Amino acid sequence: MSKQNTMSASRMGSAPVGPLLLSCAVPMMISMLVQALYNVVDSIFVSHINEAALSAVSLAFPIQNLMIAFGVGTAVGVNAHLSRSLGEGNQAEADRAAMNGLFLAVCSALAFVLFGLFAVRPFMASQTDDPAILQYGVDYLSICCVWCLGLFAQCMLEKLLVATGRSTFAMASQLIGAITNIVLDPIFIFGMFGAPRMDAAGAAVATVAGQWLGAAAGLVMNLVWNRDIHFSLRRFRLSGRTIKRIYTVGIPSIAMSAIGSVMTFLMNNILIAFSSTAVAVFGVYFKLQSFVFMPVFGMNNGMVPIISYNYGARKPERITKTIKLAVCFSETIMVLGFLVAQFFPDALLSLFNASPEMLAMGERALRTIALHFPLAGFSVICMATFQALGKGVLALCVSVVRQLGVLIPVAWLLSLSGNVNLVWFAFPIAELVSLALCATFLRKCYREILKPMMAAQPAAAMAE
């Protein structure tokens, strides 16, 4: 790799950790906040159709989340492997990771295109027999799936920029997609400026249009400005070894988010027994909590390549400092989110055209669920650390236990009381278990990876 080509990536191993983490994370945090904003705007506009449309979008969310799981999870695997390869000075492997990652993004998209063509209606029908909710859901989800290549391409191209320290470009590609979606939402949903009124389907059209435009911007940015990666279709070869390394980190990441889809599907089925309003409240919560969690995920996106690079470069002190700073930033965000949920739940719910029944139920729900925010800040950073260190299975274990081993069983048991307000306590209960597991696994990673690396440093210095 030439000196010019290594300039951006080498910052991961030499720049002061605090400013480096902020320079990598802040653009991603901003882009994630914008991402959260256009998800919320989607639901705000849909809620003005009627509550049935809002419930339909909530019931469709598990599949949307599953697409994001495969898109982001594969990209995270590429991100970690590519950054580590650059840290080791292995340019050829970094290039293979990028090209094989793009191929995997296309393959993932094709699988969801098939789902969109043949399985959307059975999926929606498994959750509701209300004809209005069913039709809104089919209209919305079919478009999101059939045109999902933009989503997968955007996720991968964005992470390639992040992996080489170009977070500002990644932020720009996200902003382009998000702003496109926000602008087009009311036009296609309500039929403005001569466009036909499409209701829930219009929200889906606006979403995929934003994803495709964001992907196009990410492609241009990578080809023109990302000189740490050499893109070549002519030299592209499938590499089983590289794909295996990508999915060593990627599969646990995919599985963690996929578990979230299963959890949401099961929780919707628990709540629909109470009312469609309970499902709508849960869907609104998921949109609102993204304002809290998305910036923390942006912090993750900034810290993963730093940790992976310094793991490859054998610099444990930079790894530990990055983790400590990321936890501090994450906890600050989570505490702020907790305070907003406690003091302003009515204002948040009013954005979604909430009925009196939805407002009463939603205020209790937001205040109760938000109890887990401060606990989750530490856990989220820990799970990203496990992935960056090649221990994605530990992160997967935490996610499985939290969401399927604790959250859903506890929610079901509490639902037997007949009081929907008790169901929301399942979230802080599950987070307590997650916190304990993350602390245990973080100590394990320190003993098995970082401590031996630290012990080897004095010996290496003496040998020199």
Side-chain angles (χ1 to χ4, degrees), residues 33-346:
L33 272 172
V34 174
Q35 186 87 5
L37 175 63
Y38 87 72
N39 285 338
V40 169
V41 169
D42 239 16
S43 293
I44 289 173
F45 283 124
V46 167
S47 71
H48 285 273
I49 301 171
N50 52 47
E51 193 172 293
L54 182 59
S55 297
V57 171
S58 298
L59 292 175
F61 181 75
I63 299 301
Q64 285 185 288
N65 193 56
L66 194 62
M67 287 191 286
I68 294 170
F70 276 88
V72 173
T74 303
V76 165
V78 173
N79 184 339
H81 180 50
L82 194 154
S83 295
R84 185 172 176 180
S85 298
L86 290 174
E88 294 168 346
N90 191 343
Q91 179 68 58
E93 183 60 24
D95 293 341
R96 274 193 295 272
M99 294 304 298
N100 279 267
L102 290 169
F103 173 78
L104 294 172
V106 173
C107 291
S108 299
L110 289 175
F112 282 98
V113 169
L114 293 174
F115 180 90
L117 292 172
F118 301 110
V120 165
R121 184 170 289 275
F123 170 77
M124 293 300 300
S126 71
Q127 300 179 87
T128 181
D129 55 5
D130 184 303
I133 295 176
L134 177 62
Q135 193 56 54
Y136 280 131
V138 171
D139 292 344
Y140 178 83
L141 190 55
S142 295
I143 294 170
C144 289
C145 290
V146 170
W147 296 95
C148 68
L149 179 58
L151 167 65
F152 285 93
Q154 184 181 23
C155 288
M156 184 60 63
L157 292 163
E158 173 203 328
K159 288 295 186 293
L160 293 180
L161 291 165
V162 173
T164 57
R166 293 173 172 84
S167 297
T168 302
F169 286 111
M171 176 186 70
S173 70
Q174 282 260 12
L175 286 171
I176 289 168
I179 292 170
T180 299
N181 190 10
I182 292 170
V183 171
L184 294 181
D185 254 333
I187 294 174
F188 290 130
I189 292 173
F190 303 116
M192 299 170 63
F193 305 114
R197 181 185 174 102
M198 301 175 69
D199 291 332
V205 171
T207 295
V208 299
Q211 290 165 352
W212 277 86
L213 196 57
L219 179 61
V220 170
M221 292 171 186
N222 272 287
L223 292 175
V224 176
W225 290 291
N226 196 349
R227 302 186 184 281
D228 289 310
I229 303 172
H230 306 139
F231 298 92
S232 174
L233 285 174
R234 187 174 56 187
R235 292 200 299 266
F236 167 64
R237 298 290 185 276
L238 273 180
S239 171
R241 179 170 166 270
T242 299
I243 290 173
K244 180 180 178 181
R245 290 186 175 183
I246 289 170
Y247 278 130
T248 297
V249 173
I251 285 179
S253 180
I254 292 168
M256 282 190 294
S257 294
I259 288 166
S261 293
V262 175
M263 180 276 290
T264 305
F265 176 79
L266 295 175
M267 185 65 78
N268 281 337
N269 278 274
I270 290 171
L271 294 173
I272 198 71
F274 291 96
S275 66
S276 62
T277 300
V279 172
V281 166
F282 184 53
V284 166
Y285 156 72
F286 249 100
K287 300 292 184 179
L288 290 174
Q289 62 98 34
S290 64
F291 273 111
V292 183
F293 281 86
M294 283 296 194
V296 178
F297 294 151
M299 177 65 63
N300 286 356
N301 288 339
M303 64 174 270
V304 165
I306 298 173
I307 293 175
S308 295
Y309 184 99
N310 286 286
Y311 183 25
R314 318 303 287 177
K315 295 182 177 180
E317 73 288 344
R318 292 179 63 81
I319 296 173
T320 55
K321 190 169 183 179
T322 300
I323 295 169
K324 290 175 182 177
L325 286 172
V327 169
C328 291
F329 292 140
S330 173
E331 284 298 330
T332 300
I333 294 167
M334 287 295 189
V335 170
L336 289 174
F338 165 77
L339 293 174
V340 171
Q342 296 305 310
F343 292 108
F344 307 107
D346 52 341

Side-chain angles (χ1 to χ4, degrees), residues 459-464:
M462 290 177 64
E464 291 177 1

